Each structure stands twice: as C-alpha cells, then as structure tokens.
Amino acid sequence: MNNDSLNNLLRRIKTNDPTLTSINLSSTVFTEEQLITLFKYLRTNKSITSLNLSKKPLNDRAMKMLSIFLEQNHAIKKMTLNFNQISNKGAKYLSQGLRKNQSLILLKLNGNEIGSEGLSFISKALTANKILEELYFNENPITNQGVEELSRTLRVNRSLQFLALEGNQISSKDLRLLSVALIENTTIKEISLEKNRIDDEGAKFISGLLMKNKSLQELSLNDNKIGNKGAKLIAEALKGNKLIKELQLSENKIGTEGAKSIAGCLSSNTTLRKLKLNSNQIKTEGVNFLIESIINNSQCALKVLSLNDNRIGDDSAHSLKALFLKNASLTELHLNNNKIGAEGMKILSQAIDENNSIKVLGLSGNQIKSEGLTYLSNSLRTNESIKVLLLNKNKINDSGMKNFCSMLKKNCTLNKISLMDNKIESISMKYLSNALIVNNSVQIIHLEWNNIGKVGAKHLCKGLVLNSSLRKIGLSGNKITTLGISYISKALKTDCCLSKLGLMGNNIKDTGLKCLMEGLESNIAINKLVLNGNKLTNKSLKYIINTLKVNYTLEEICLDGNQIYKQNLIFQIETLLTINSLILKAIKFLLKGKNEIAKKEFQEIIDLGIVGTKLALVKGCLYYVSGDYQRAIKHFSRYLKAMKTNFRIFWIRGLTYEKISDLEKATNDFETVIDLNPKFAEDNQINGINYGDIIDDNDDGIDEVNLDLDKKNESMDDSDSYPEENLSLSSSSSSASNYSSSSSSSSSNPKLKNTDVETNSKTNNINNSNERSIINNNDDDDGDGGGTDDDNNHNSKSKSNSKLNTNLIKKETKINNLSNTKKNSSSLETVNENDSKRLLDKNINDYDNINEQSINKNDDNNDDENNNDNENENENDNNDDNKELVNSQTCVQCNKIASCYCLDCKVSFCKKHCQKIHRFGTLIEHKFTHCKQMNIKD
C-alpha cells in the first residue's frame, strides 16, 4: 500500500465511512507517524469492528497510542496483533486500554515478546475487563510467574470463553496452577494447550479438571508428552464427565494400552462427539478396542474419529467393517497413513455400500493402489452418504481410475475428491471427462502432483465444457505446459461454473499465460487463479492487466515463485483485483435488494476512474438501483454488446425491462440466460429470485424482485462514450488511492498473492465448506420480495400477461429439456454411457482438430455450429419423450397450464405446484412432498 492509498484509508476512518467495517494491514509498510495517526482516528470511529495489524513492529510509543484508542473506542470487536514484537512494556500499555474497553471480544497476541511480566499486566486487566471472550496467547516466552498470575485471574474472570496457550513451554508444574483455577472458573468452554511440556504427571491435573469443572467442552492436548498412564487418568475422568464434546490427544505416546483405556470410557460416554488420536502408535490391537467400545455403546454420540498414522494395516479391516455396519453416529472417519492395502480395502468395501452415516472418509497415504480402488468404487456405486473422499498418495494408476470414473457416472453424492500425488496419467483424464459430462454432484477435484500432461489437459477440458457442478479443480505439478494451457483457455471461454483453478508448477511460460488470459476475458466465474512456481516474467503482468480491464470476477491471483519483479505493474494488478472485488460486492448488494448500500458502492467504484466495459456495467447497475431504468438499459446494452456471454447481466437487464413493462424484451433476455446457463436459471427458480415467478396466481400483474428502488441520481454522467483503457491506473488521483481502503477490508480483500497457497493443498485437511462462484443468487435471503412499480405501469403489465404466460411456459420447457440433456442420469436414468459418448463426440469435435502447436481461432465458429446442431437434436429427442409422458395439459391441483409431469403419479403440474421437483431434482422427492399432500395415488 502506497502513501496515497494509506492516506485515503485514514480519511475514510476519520469520516466514519459506514462501508468500512474491517481493516487488514497485515505486513503493510508504513511510518510510525502514519501508525500514530491511524490510532488517533480510530478513537472516534464507530464503523470499524475488526482490525488486523500483524507482522508490523509495534514499539512502546505505538502501543501507548493503541491503548488510548482502546480506551475511547466503543466499536472495535476483534483485534489481531500477531508477530508484532510487542514487549513487556507494550503489554503494560495494552493492559491499560483493556481495563476500560467495553467492546473488544477477541484479542490475538501470538508470537510476540511478551514474557511473564507482560502476561501479569494483561491478566490483571482481565480481572477488571468484563467483555473479552477469546484470548490467543500462543508462542510467547512466559514462565511460572506469568502462569501463576493468569491462574489468579481465571478464578474471578467471568467473560473469557476461549483460551489458547499453545507453544508456551508450560510444564506439568505450571498446569497444576492452571487446573485449580479452571476448576473454579465457570465460563471457559474451550482451552488449547498444544505443543507444551505436559507429561503423565500433568495428565493427573487434567484428570482432576475434567472431574470437577462445570463448563469446559473442548480440550486440545496435541503434541505433548502424555503416555499410556496419562491416557488412563484422562479416560477415568471422562467416564463421569457429561460436558466434554471434543478431545484431541494427537502426537502423544499413549500407545495400545492408552487406547485400551480410552476405549473403556467410550463404552459408556454419551457426550463426546469428536476424538482425535493421530500419531500415537495405537496399532491394530488398540484400534480394535476402540471400535468394539463404540459399537457396544448404543448411546454413543461420537461423530468424528481420527486415527491417522497409527500403523493399523489390513489387520483392523474386519473391525472397521463392523464399525461401518453397526454404528450409525459417525459422520467422519480418518484413516490416513495407516498402511491399509488392497486386501483391507476389499473387506471395508463390503460394508461401505451399506453405511448411511459416514460423510467424510480419509484414506490418504495408504497402499490401496488400483486394485483397492476398484473394490472401493464398486461399493460407492450404491453408497448415498459419503460426500468427501481423500485418496492422496495411494499409488493409484490409470486402471484404477477407469473403474473409479465409471462409478462417478452412477454416484450422485460425492462433492469433494482428492487424488493428489498418485500415478495418474493422461488417459485417466479421458475417463474423468466422460464422467464429468454425466455427474452433477462433484464440486471439488484435487489432481495435483500427478502426470496428466498436455494430452490429459485436452481430454479433461472436453468434460469441463459440459459439466455444470465443478467449482474447483487443482492441476498443479502435472506438466501441463503451454500447449495444455491452450486447451484450458478454450474451455474457460465456455465453462461458466469453475471458480478456482490451480496451475502451480506446470512450466507455464508467458505465451501460455497470454492464452489463458484470453480465455478469462469472457469468463465470468473464475475468482481465484494459482500460478505459483511457473516460468512467467514481467511480460505476463501486462497480459494479466489487459484481461483485468475486461474481467470483473477475478479477485485473487497467486504468482509467487516466478520471475516477476516490476512493482508498478504488480500494483496495477492489485488495483484492478480490488476493483473487481468491489464490483462483485456491490452487485451482491443489488441482488439482495440493498439499494442504498449498492448505490454508494457503485458510485465509489466510478470515482476510482474505471474505464471501458467495466464502466458501462457499473453505470448500468448504478442507474438500476437509483430507479433510472432507461439509462440502466442503455449502459447494460453497451456492456453486453462487448460481453455477449454474461448471463448474469442479461438477467439483470431483463429485470430492468420488467420495471418499465417491456415484457417482450424481458422475456428475450431471460431466454438468453437459459441458453447461456440453464443451471443458473434453475437455481434462481429454487431461491425465489426468479424470472419465472413474475406471473401471480391471481393474474394481477407482475411480482418484482425485492429491490427497494431509490430516487434517480441526476448527477451521474450519462455520456455516450467511455474513456479508453490505459495501462496506468495510478495516474488518476483517485485510482491509486481510493481503492486501497477497500482492499484493506478483510471481508472483500482480493490479493495478488505471493504465498504458495497450493502447497497447503498437499495436506490431508478437509475443507467442508461448499465452494461456489462469487455472484450466486442462492445468497438471497429476502425471497420473493414485494417491490412495486407505479400504478400507471401496473395496467400495462396486466395487459401483457397473456403473452408473457405463454412465453414462460416455453422457457420452463426449455430449461427442463436443456438440463435433461446434460445430466440427471442417476435420478431419472435417461443418460447412459453411450449417450455421454454421443454428446461428447458431437458437441466438442473442435478439440480433436486443435493444432498441437497453436490454437486455431476459427474453431469458435465450428463450436457454435456443432452446439446448435446438438441442441436442436437434443430438444427434438426430449420433445418426443414429453409427448409420450404428458397425458394431461392442465395442473391436477389448479387446472392451469401444466409444465411438468410426474412419472410416479402419472399426473401433470403447473410451475407453482411442481416447485419441489426443481428444488430437489428427483421425481422421488416430488412424489413424497406433493403427491402425499394431495392424496394422489398411483
């Protein structure tokens, strides 16, 4: 962040900008005077609730000013001061602020230089503080004196609920003081004592704590020195404990005997939900004891069991099989790095297909190989519960992948698959591509560190074009090279679903990046791109800049490990990424109907000096939320003239046409959305922001999206021409400065990352969060809101109802036809393997004609012709099917024109009464939700 950017941030803080609620200045370089000014302005600020100043040295003077800021500020709730070289004296100043502060609930002080003296100051402050709930004090050089003072505080403090004291060299003697204090404490629910020096002697005090404490629910003791004796003491305490829900004892030395002791408590415990015993040398015998206790306890509440790296082998397969068959509480089972082979997998697979509770299964780092994967694949064909499957480092080759991909055509529950660091070659991508055409459930695939190559990339892209569910794919370390990138680029021009793409370590050069950026110019889904460790130079930065002038969805690019050093170009990229983040944030407010906030955001974006197509887009949105629909349409049309594939903006323009009662043009835009992305149309039907919902049952006009429109902004410039784009955004007085304050916000902080984020993906951690594209109207919490137009518009809407009604029926039929052609084979069984091959051959013949040295630009025309032919063919096929299925043209519920047909009930429904079928996507759900309510029988 440069001086202009920081000065603009300070201005926004001083003026209490309500849109600035979070500041992230981690690693930011600024002067001491600027820091002092920051604290000065924060004293009276009422909007900022989160502040991150990590990795910036804070001397005693700065800490004194921070203390005054804490005393006077009544808005700040979260503050992070990690690795700031805070001294004991600095901690003293901080404690003075904490005594009087009445708003801070979370404080992080990890990795500083605060010793026992400093901890004593902070502890005494917490005696007076009644607000702070979470304190992180990891990796500080505290001694027995500091622990003693903290213990005194914990006896009387009634606000702290979470305490982290990891890596502080706390001994068993220190733990005695802490445990006595925690017995008296009645508010702390979670405590982490990882990476200390707690041994079996310390476990004695832990045992006493668990027996007498009345509030503790989660306890982490990972990476200590607890042996089997200590495990026995803890297990005895757990037998009578009815509060502990999570216990972590990984990386200790409890062994088989310790596991046996813990198994004893599991046979009667009814509250423990998460148990982690990784890296404890439990071995087969210990695992057998644990599983037997879990099975025998009919009231067992355990949901997560982690037994990674315990040398289990195939000998425990029969016990694990019994666990799958008899236990119904476990939802996560982690068995990574346990030497389980093909024989063990064969036994396990006999039970997996019958289990209905396990959702996450970790099998990475074993010896499953392709034979074991075949057994697993056969069981997953019928399994309906597993959503996350981890198979990294299992020596899986192409033969195993063939069976696995065949399973994916039938399985409709898997969401995340990780196959990193195996022996997967290019031919496997052909199998995977065919599976992706049919599968509509997988959202994340990790294929890092295999040997896919450029040919594999070509095969994979064929499936990406026709897949509508995949959100993230990791292809790092696969020798894809520049030619492989050309295939990916072509897929990105047509694929509207993929939001995150990892291409680290693929020997990509500047020419490859140029091709990739060309693909991203028209892509409106990718928001994160990882390009670490390639062969990119400063020349690539210009290609990125040119793309970011058009693309508005890309928010984060990781370029660490390349030959890039031009800071001025890097700064321009950061600026453009920040603008993208602001645009997406503002559009999200627009879609949620928060017009006042959206209008302010759009106006600030225009003030940044944006140019070209982005300016047309932002102006259109600004006029829309201001109620000036004619001008909004004018600018949307200019934008769509250049970006003809942006279905979201077609959708917003359609809404705008509705506002002025031009229903014919609105219908045309909505049909364009269906053509470009049927999945987007279906999703909007589900969530209520739906162009199909514009007809009311009472035929009284149009139900609008819940957008409370504001008055027109007469001051906006509506010139017919847009400024030309240039390389230097920082030349504008506002361009280099105004953006930065928003970039500091952690809620919308786009990054040009210089950290190797993909390295972390080689671990076995599970990301359970669903990854979706940035603008997804599933976020609409307002439902079918009731915005209204002027009365003079209402009559014209009613007059157009008849025509619109007919058009909507056509649109819904088109949605069903298009979506049926792509997938739903597992639910409706209409797409088989031969069908997918036919679709593949007819829709993407252009890939087979790509020159191996360059991309033929004329292929785009061939793609359009092939896709049009296939669309006509598929629609005709579906229309023939519909003629055979539909035996009634009116809804059985309301006698209106029907739009769907239930194969189970043999009756038809209108759009309103078949809404559940769109929500769940299966006729079975339709049967149970609607037909049962209406007492319809076969």
Side-chain angles (χ1 to χ4, degrees):
M1 182 180 294
N2 62 11
N3 286 333
D4 289 338
S5 303
L6 188 57
N7 289 335
N8 181 62
L9 173 62
L10 293 173
R11 177 190 60 78
R12 294 182 68 188
I13 296 172
K14 184 178 180 180
T15 57
N16 269 300
D17 186 341
T19 63
L20 185 62
T21 59
S22 179
I23 300 178
N24 184 357
L25 294 172
S26 178
S27 303
T28 301
V29 178
F30 43 82
T31 66
E32 182 178 350
E33 291 304 319
Q34 288 173 325
L35 185 61
I36 300 302
T37 304
L38 170 67
F39 292 140
K40 180 181 177 181
Y41 291 162
L42 283 171
R43 294 180 193 177
T44 56
N45 184 278
K46 298 179 181 179
S47 63
I48 296 171
T49 59
S50 178
L51 176 64
N52 186 348
L53 294 173
S54 298
K55 300 179 182 179
K56 168 66 181 176
L58 296 177
N59 58 28
D60 295 341
R61 183 190 174 199
M63 290 302 297
K64 185 176 182 179
M65 296 300 294
L66 184 145
S67 174
I68 299 173
F69 139 60
L70 280 179
E71 289 181 19
Q72 300 180 10
N73 182 283
H74 301 291
I76 196 74
K77 294 183 180 298
K78 299 178 182 180
M79 186 162 65
T80 303
L81 300 174
N82 296 335
F83 305 101
N84 290 109
Q85 302 177 20
I86 300 174
S87 64
N88 287 329
K89 190 173 182 179
K92 181 179 180 179
Y93 289 128
L94 177 62
S95 67
Q96 294 171 0
L98 287 175
R99 283 178 178 274
K100 299 182 180 181
N101 181 275
Q102 296 297 315
S103 62
L104 194 68
I105 60 174
L106 182 149
L107 177 62
K108 294 185 178 182
L109 294 169
N110 303 326
N112 283 291
E113 299 172 2
I114 304 174
S116 293
E117 183 183 359
L119 180 58
S120 297
F121 290 129
I122 293 173
S123 298
K124 291 176 182 177
L126 292 179
T127 303
N129 185 289
K130 308 297 183 183
I131 303 297
L132 195 69
E133 296 178 0
E134 298 182 40
L135 176 62
Y136 293 78
F137 200 80
N138 304 327
E139 299 180 36
N140 280 285
I142 62 175
T143 60
N144 180 267
Q145 180 186 351
V147 174
E148 185 176 354
E149 192 62 48
L150 178 62
S151 299
R152 291 196 189 98
T153 298
L154 292 177
R155 291 182 178 182
V156 296
N157 180 281
R158 292 298 178 265
S159 66
L160 273 182
Q161 298 181 26
F162 174 89
L163 179 61
L165 296 170
E166 301 174 8
N168 284 310
Q169 300 298 310
I170 295 174
S171 64
S172 295
K173 183 180 178 181
D174 299 328
L175 191 59
R176 178 180 177 275
L177 298 171
L178 273 177
S179 61
V180 172
L182 288 171
I183 289 173
E184 298 182 26
N185 184 285
T186 58
T187 58
I188 288 186
K189 297 180 180 180
E190 302 176 41
I191 187 167
S192 179
L193 296 168
E194 297 182 11
K195 300 178 182 179
N196 284 293
R197 296 185 295 169
I198 302 171
D199 53 17
D200 288 344
E201 183 68 21
K204 184 191 299 184
F205 303 123
I206 294 292
S207 176
L209 169 64
L210 293 175
M211 287 181 179
K212 299 179 181 180
N213 180 274
K214 302 300 181 183
S215 63
L216 194 63
Q217 296 179 12
E218 297 182 18
L219 176 62
S220 180
L221 296 167
N222 296 335
D223 199 5
N224 280 285
K225 300 178 180 180
I226 300 173
N228 56 7
K229 294 181 180 179
K232 185 176 181 180
L233 292 169
I234 293 173
E236 287 296 324
L238 284 176
K239 288 181 179 180
N241 187 291
K242 303 298 182 183
L243 292 173
I244 286 290
K245 296 180 179 179
E246 179 176 337
L247 177 63
Q248 298 190 40
L249 284 169
S250 297
E251 297 182 71
N252 282 284
K253 301 176 182 179
I254 69 173
T256 301
E257 289 300 315
K260 185 176 180 180
S261 300
I262 293 175
C265 85
L266 288 178
S267 61
S268 58
N269 186 284
T270 59
T271 57
L272 193 64
R273 295 184 179 181
K274 183 182 290 187
L275 178 61
K276 293 188 176 183
L277 299 172
N278 306 328
S279 304
N280 268 297
Q281 301 180 11
I282 291 174
K283 301 182 181 179
T284 301
E285 187 179 358
V287 170
N288 291 343
F289 281 125
L290 289 169
I291 292 175
E292 183 179 358
S293 297
I294 294 172
I295 292 174
N296 292 336
N297 184 354
S298 59
Q299 295 182 321
C300 180
L302 198 65
K303 292 185 176 299
V304 180
L305 178 61
S306 188
L307 299 171
N308 299 335
D309 196 18
N310 274 298
R311 304 179 184 178
I312 293 174
D314 289 341
D315 295 337
S316 292
H318 288 286
S319 295
L320 290 169
K321 176 183 176 181
L323 180 66
F324 273 95
L325 290 173
K326 298 180 181 180
N327 177 271
S329 66
L330 273 180
T331 59
E332 292 187 31
L333 180 60
H334 299 275
L335 300 170
N336 305 317
N337 302 317
N338 273 305
K339 298 184 178 180
I340 298 174
E343 192 61 34
M345 203 67 251
K346 180 179 180 180
I347 298 171
L348 274 179
S349 298
Q350 295 170 4
I352 289 177
D353 58 348
E354 298 184 26
N355 181 279
N356 294 316
S357 64
I358 298 289
K359 295 181 179 179
V360 179
L361 180 59
L363 293 168
S364 296
N366 286 289
Q367 300 171 3
I368 292 175
K369 300 182 180 180
S370 291
E371 182 183 356
L373 183 60
T374 299
Y375 295 129
L376 177 61
S377 299
N378 291 336
S379 64
L380 289 174
R381 288 176 184 269
T382 53
N383 180 279
E384 297 180 351
S385 64
I386 295 178
K387 295 184 177 181
V388 179
L389 182 62
L390 307 180
L391 293 167
N392 307 325
K393 296 183 179 179
N394 268 294
K395 300 180 181 179
I396 295 169
N397 59 28
D398 296 329
S399 61
M401 282 296 294
K402 184 175 182 179
N403 293 308
F404 186 77
C405 294
S406 177
M407 173 274 298
L408 286 179
K409 296 178 182 179
K410 303 292 184 181
N411 184 289
C412 57
T413 55
L414 276 171
N415 295 143
K416 176 181 178 181
I417 302 169
S418 189
L419 290 161
M420 293 189 290
D421 206 3
N422 280 288
K423 297 182 177 181
I424 299 172
E425 303 284 340
S426 59
I427 188 63
S428 291
M429 294 303 98
K430 187 173 183 179
Y431 307 139
L432 181 59
S433 178
N434 289 335
L436 289 176
I437 295 173
V438 179
N439 183 284
N440 63 349
S441 65
V442 176
Q443 297 179 9
I444 305 171
I445 298 180
H446 287 289
L447 294 167
E448 292 91 336
W449 319 114
N450 283 287
N451 192 25
I452 293 172
K454 57 188 178 183
V455 177
K458 178 180 178 180
H459 290 313
L460 180 61
C461 288
K462 296 177 181 181
L464 292 179
V465 171
L466 294 176
N467 179 276
S468 62
S469 64
L470 197 62
R471 296 291 181 266
K472 178 179 179 180
I473 187 165
L475 297 172
S476 298
N478 271 291
K479 303 177 183 177
I480 291 176
T481 69
T482 297
L483 182 58
I485 292 299
S486 68
Y487 302 124
I488 294 176
S489 175
K490 193 168 183 65
L492 290 177
K493 291 179 180 179
T494 55
D495 177 42
C496 297
C497 302
L498 206 61
S499 61
K500 299 189 188 322
L501 177 61
L503 293 168
M504 181 177 71
N506 273 297
N507 298 319
I508 302 171
K509 298 180 181 179
D510 293 334
T511 53
L513 184 79
K514 181 181 180 181
C515 186
L516 182 64
M517 290 297 111
E518 288 175 354
L520 286 173
E521 285 184 5
S522 58
N523 183 283
I524 55 172
I526 292 285
N527 58 59
K528 181 176 180 179
L529 185 62
V530 181
L531 293 166
N532 300 336
N534 283 289
K535 296 182 178 180
L536 306 179
T537 67
N538 291 317
K539 190 175 181 180
S540 292
L541 297 179
K542 294 183 179 181
Y543 300 140
I544 295 174
I545 290 171
N546 290 334
T547 294
L548 288 176
K549 290 176 182 178
V550 180
N551 178 289
Y552 73 93
T553 58
L554 193 57
E555 293 185 278
E556 186 175 340
I557 303 177
C558 303
L559 293 169
D560 186 47
N562 288 286
Q563 300 171 16
I564 293 172
Y565 57 85
K566 281 194 176 181
Q567 292 301 316
N568 61 327
L569 296 180
I570 292 175
F571 177 73
Q572 289 181 47
I573 292 175
E574 289 176 339
T575 303
L576 291 166
L577 290 173
T578 302
I579 291 173
N580 281 0
S581 180
L582 294 176
I583 292 174
L584 291 171
K585 181 180 177 183
I587 290 177
K588 198 169 184 180
F589 285 132
L590 180 154
L591 296 175
K592 286 189 173 184
K594 299 179 180 180
N595 290 353
E596 280 292 340
I597 301 176
K599 184 162 64 173
K600 185 169 184 178
E601 293 284 336
F602 285 126
Q603 187 60 63
E604 288 187 357
I605 295 168
I606 291 176
D607 292 341
L608 295 177
I610 61 172
V611 294
T613 55
K614 280 187 181 179
L615 179 58
L617 170 63
V618 173
K619 277 192 172 184
C621 292
L622 181 55
Y623 285 125
Y624 178 83
V625 296
S626 301
D628 192 344
Y629 303 124
Q630 293 290 356
R631 287 185 175 183
I633 290 171
K634 179 180 177 181
H635 290 283
F636 284 143
S637 298
R638 288 172 179 168
Y639 174 80
L640 291 172
K641 186 176 181 180
M643 304 294 291
K644 298 179 181 179
T645 60
N646 195 329
F647 56 87
R648 293 189 180 94
I649 305 305
F650 272 110
W651 182 69
I652 296 176
R653 191 178 70 172
L655 296 177
T656 313
Y657 278 126
E658 285 182 26
K659 296 291 185 181
I660 61 173
S661 301
D662 193 340
L663 302 180
E664 182 176 357
K665 291 182 179 179
T667 302
N668 291 337
D669 275 355
F670 293 141
E671 289 182 341
T672 302
V673 174
I674 298 173
D675 292 335
L676 292 172
N677 195 321
K679 184 68 167 58
F680 178 84
E682 290 181 276
D683 287 346
N684 280 283
Q685 278 185 320
I686 293 172
N687 290 285
I689 317 178
N690 175 27
Y691 56 84
D693 283 343
I694 62 178
I695 291 184
D696 188 80
D697 273 348
N698 300 321
D699 292 332
D700 59 351
I702 296 176
D703 293 333
E704 299 291 356
V705 177
N706 188 15
L707 295 175
D708 186 16
L709 299 177
D710 305 311
K711 295 181 180 180
K712 297 180 182 180
N713 186 345
E714 300 297 341
S715 63
M716 292 183 291
D717 178 23
D718 191 38
S719 60
D720 292 334
S721 60
Y722 297 94
E724 291 297 325
E725 299 170 353
N726 55 70
L727 286 178
S728 178
L729 290 176
S730 57
S731 61
S732 169
S733 60
S734 61
S735 167
S737 58
N738 293 344
Y739 93 95
S740 57
S741 55
S742 298
S743 69
S744 61
S745 172
S746 62
S747 63
S748 60
N749 182 24
K751 306 176 184 69
L752 175 66
K753 286 227 172 181
N754 286 323
T755 54
D756 192 344
V757 298
E758 280 292 300
T759 302
N760 293 330
S761 68
K762 294 192 68 176
T763 67
N764 296 323
N765 294 333
I766 301 168
N767 179 11
N768 291 323
S769 62
N770 291 331
E771 308 211 15
R772 304 183 183 275
S773 56
I774 289 298
I775 304 179
N776 187 333
N777 294 301
N778 292 340
D779 292 335
D780 186 355
D781 300 324
D782 300 326
D784 292 3
T788 60
D789 285 333
D790 297 333
D791 292 336
N792 61 341
N793 288 335
H794 179 80
N795 293 332
S796 61
K797 295 175 187 177
S798 299
K799 291 178 182 179
S800 303
N801 256 350
S802 177
K803 181 176 180 180
L804 186 57
N805 189 9
T806 304
N807 287 334
L808 290 174
I809 295 298
K810 293 179 180 179
K811 285 189 297 181
E812 289 178 16
T813 304
K814 197 168 185 180
I815 289 178
N816 294 331
N817 289 344
L818 288 172
S819 58
N820 284 340
T821 20
K822 293 182 69 174
K823 33 191 100 62
N824 292 332
S825 69
S826 57
S827 58
L828 299 178
E829 297 183 358
T830 59
V831 181
N832 56 29
E833 187 172 351
N834 293 329
D835 293 330
S836 65
K837 289 180 179 178
R838 176 177 60 81
L839 284 172
L840 181 64
D841 293 336
K842 293 182 70 62
N843 280 281
I844 42 182
N845 288 332
D846 58 302
Y847 280 99
D848 297 327
N849 299 323
I850 292 181
N851 188 295
E852 295 297 325
Q853 301 301 321
S854 62
I855 297 180
N856 186 347
K857 295 184 179 180
N858 293 326
D859 281 347
D860 292 337
N861 296 329
N862 295 331
D863 287 344
D864 294 337
E865 293 175 3
N866 289 330
N867 287 330
N868 290 335
D869 291 341
N870 270 285
E871 182 178 319
N872 294 332
E873 179 183 341
N874 292 330
E875 287 186 15
N876 291 334
D877 291 342
N878 279 282
N879 288 333
D880 292 339
D881 294 338
N882 289 335
K883 290 178 182 178
E884 296 176 7
L885 293 176
V886 178
N887 63 358
S888 174
Q889 296 299 320
T890 58
C891 175
V892 70
Q893 186 75 344
C894 64
N895 293 326
K896 289 196 173 183
I897 298 176
S899 61
C900 73
Y901 180 79
C902 179
L903 291 172
D904 295 292
C905 309
K906 304 295 189 293
V907 290
S908 301
F909 298 94
C910 68
K911 180 191 65 61
K912 178 179 178 181
H913 292 109
C914 74
Q915 190 174 6
K916 291 290 183 180
I917 188 174
H918 297 304
R919 183 181 296 276
F920 297 105
T922 64
L923 289 171
I924 294 175
E925 292 288 353
H926 184 187
K927 181 177 181 180
F928 284 95
T929 56
H930 282 282
C931 305
K932 187 175 180 181
Q933 294 174 7
M934 294 186 287
N935 296 318
I936 297 174
K937 300 179 181 179
D938 279 345

